[in-house]
Amino acid sequence: MTAPPPGPAEDYACCVVGAGPVGLTFAMEAANAGARVLLIDAGNGESARRPISSLSGQQTHIVDPDRHAPLEQAIRRGIGGTSQLWGGRCVALEPIDLAERDYVPGGEWPITLEDVVPWYRAAARHLDCGPPVFRSEAPDWPGLSNFEMSNLERWSRQPRLDPGLGARVLAHPQVTTLLDTRLADLEIDADGSIAAVVAEHNGARIRLHADQYVLAMGGLEIPRLLLEVQRRLPTAFGGIDGPLGRFYMGHTTGSIAEIVLDDPAQVVDLDFVRDGHDSYVRRRFTLSEEAQRENRVLNTSFYLDNPAFYEYEHHNATLSAVFLAMAIPPIGRRIVAERMRLRHIGPRPYRVGMHLRNILRHPWRIVADVVDIIRRRYLSPVRKPGFILRNDSGRYAVHYHAEQLPNPDSRVMMHTSDDGEAVLDVDYRYLEADIDSVLRCHELLDADLRSAGLGRLEYLAKDPAGIRALAWEQAVHGLHSIGTTRMSRDPAAGVVDADLRVHGTRNLFLASTSVFPTSAEANPTFFAAALAVRLAHHLVDARPAIDDTAVSKENEVPG
């Protein structure tokens, strides 16, 4: 239920800040377990559908716009949060993602996969992606040695969470929702207890109380708040120049090659499939743990997509029709952003005649494809995530989605502008080693395909220098805000412990992709939701007592 601001004496078992996928998951799980929950968010029931606008005290400066996406593409405020931008992809982490690897410095997790897997089923239910089955029983293609095809990605039936999970949270009798309320400060006692959170609502500052506080605002907004508090309390959260805000990661992703299948019919094995649980799943090429360790590369997956629209050799009428539409600037700019339009139409000459020949050979194919896309993506209660349009050449784009190395110099920091505004500086960086790993994984996939007689990779650049330059050109992310409040056993190495409790505090917890010590290759939302379910049960099961022994004297936060 939505309510006016609680009075100063009105207490809750849990106060969770942030109504995105992770915050909603936590709120629902804690409420279902019997806790009285206060959910607050800076947005409202409608704002998540619109690009974010700056709030007072929340200015952001992206240091290198060539590496980090605009915030409008990465963040939304309000019920459902960034699920408005999310494709619905749910992917589980692998054991190696949490294990020690000597070639991934700073990649240690204080938990194992077995600590989180028991909570997968609840996370899958809240995100509506079917059962937590992330392995296909279908056999791998024969002859593959370094790659597996059993690793599944699942997809939410409808990725926008506000009509489903969001509506259920708002209607829950154990949940009170306070919207259009920006968290401004934390009141921290000398013993590390959060006495209250200070929020701005309708132009006034209010104090909100709970037994436990959970920040779920995301990997940029959580460190923004904690860094501001740290400016007032310099020894908090590991101290100035400590781990807070560092190790900002996302993924290395893009397409630098095409796959050419010797048997074009085999593409069906890597297409979207609606499974027996009425959810879409997709198989991918993923490197085995043995291959990763032997070649000292980062976890990487590959999946297929339509070939470049401008390549008439695909002989697909629909792809050619889309190309011709995009080649007309006023039309193409209405379909996609100009940067993407230019990439899709490729270099001149455009070979319009060859594309018209593709269309004239199969004009009915365009109508059939368009009808199918509208029906399965926009009219079906189970949204199809994408469409691979088959072509006789067996040629498809191959996309990579790769882990990024933890880098302490990739970070977010605060400064005060000339007009007195607090500004979050986002200095997101890639390393040469990230690109080295991507290129090596392509070499391994190409070798596997060729040796097995399945096909080959053909790069989109002519020589190694051009291939590397293309990978660097596509090294742009910021959609998965990982690592800025990483978990660790040692308070000097991270911000939260294995239970997501902020080091040096007694009742402050973080539920976010920002707690991951490594980025893995998987999209992080599902695993973060599973961690939120685990946290909800940890807090509810621990009531009413809070374990004071978890706070050591040397890590106490002064008031």
Side-chain angles (χ1 to χ4, degrees), residues 112-322:
T112 66
L113 196 60
E114 289 72 22
D115 294 321
V116 187
V117 168
W119 311 109
Y120 274 13
R121 185 167 298 278
R125 182 176 67 251
H126 293 312
L127 298 181
D128 194 26
C129 66
V133 177
F134 294 100
R135 285 288 174 181
S136 170
E137 296 180 356
D140 291 349
W141 287 350
L144 295 177
S145 58
N146 290 308
F147 285 84
E148 303 170 343
M149 297 175 64
S150 59
N151 192 310
L152 285 179
E153 53 188 22
R154 307 193 66 85
W155 298 79
S156 295
R157 292 181 176 96
Q158 291 291 337
R160 279 181 44 195
L161 297 181
D162 49 315
L165 177 61
R168 293 194 297 274
V169 169
L170 265 61
H172 202 292
Q174 290 288 105
V175 178
T176 298
T177 307
L178 186 58
L179 302 178
D180 293 315
T181 302
R182 183 181 77 87
L183 184 60
D185 201 0
L186 304 174
E187 292 186 4
I188 307 179
D189 290 338
D191 67 350
S193 297
I194 305 299
V197 295
V198 179
E200 294 178 351
H201 180 80
N202 287 339
R205 287 208 162 196
I206 57 174
R207 299 172 73 250
L208 303 170
H209 299 266
D211 296 334
Q212 298 139 336
Y213 301 86
V214 177
L215 306 186
M217 304 102 75
L220 293 182
E221 296 310 308
I222 291 175
R224 183 198 301 272
L225 173 74
L226 298 185
L227 286 165
E228 271 296 280
V229 173
Q230 192 180 68
R231 296 215 285 183
R232 175 168 53 85
L233 303 172
T235 62
F237 318 126
I240 302 298
D241 289 329
L244 176 59
R246 293 185 180 272
F247 300 99
Y248 183 24
M249 294 171 285
H251 289 99
T252 311
T253 184
S255 179
I256 61 173
E258 292 182 332
I259 187 172
V260 183
L261 300 175
D262 288 354
D263 179 3
Q266 284 190 294
V267 70
V268 69
D269 293 337
L270 292 162
D271 203 351
F272 296 98
V273 176
R274 195 163 170 174
D275 69 1
H277 303 281
D278 210 23
S279 303
Y280 278 100
V281 298
R282 179 169 62 176
R283 298 169 70 192
R284 306 170 297 156
F285 295 113
T286 54
L287 274 164
S288 68
E289 178 168 343
E290 294 76 13
Q292 290 181 52
R293 291 189 181 278
E294 179 182 350
N295 292 277
R296 302 177 67 82
V297 293
L298 303 172
N299 204 347
T300 303
S301 66
F302 294 89
Y303 58 92
L304 303 196
D305 200 353
N306 296 304
F309 295 151
Y310 60 82
E311 291 182 350
Y312 64 87
E313 294 92 344
H314 51 62
H315 303 308
N316 184 282
T318 305
L319 294 178
S320 286
V322 173

Side-chain angles (χ1 to χ4, degrees), residues 421-442:
E421 284 278 359
V423 180
L424 183 72
D425 290 319
V426 179
D427 188 4
Y428 179 59
R429 304 184 185 186
Y430 287 95
L431 297 169
E432 290 287 348
D434 297 324
I435 306 302
D436 290 340
S437 179
V438 164
L439 300 181
R440 177 58 180 150
C441 291
H442 278 77

Side-chain angles (χ1 to χ4, degrees), residues 336-412:
V336 296
E338 179 66 2
R339 181 175 179 179
M340 291 301 297
R341 186 188 78 87
L342 294 174
R343 179 173 294 176
H344 283 312
I345 64 176
R348 293 179 181 273
Y350 288 156
R351 309 302 294 271
V352 171
M354 302 303 292
H355 285 285
L356 288 173
R357 181 177 299 179
N358 288 345
I359 293 171
L360 293 175
R361 285 175 60 204
H362 302 289
W364 59 89
R365 179 83 173 266
I366 301 173
V367 176
D369 286 341
V370 169
V371 169
D372 187 55
I373 290 170
I374 292 174
R375 180 170 64 89
R376 296 179 185 273
R377 188 171 178 87
Y378 300 104
L379 301 181
S380 173
V382 182
R383 177 179 179 268
K384 188 173 183 180
F387 294 81
I388 297 180
L389 302 178
R390 311 290 172 81
N391 66 73
D392 298 335
S393 68
R395 179 183 294 272
Y396 297 90
V398 58
H399 281 263
Y400 57 90
H401 201 264
E403 182 179 9
Q404 186 179 359
L405 278 171
N407 175 10
D409 294 326
S410 181
R411 62 184 300 193
V412 298

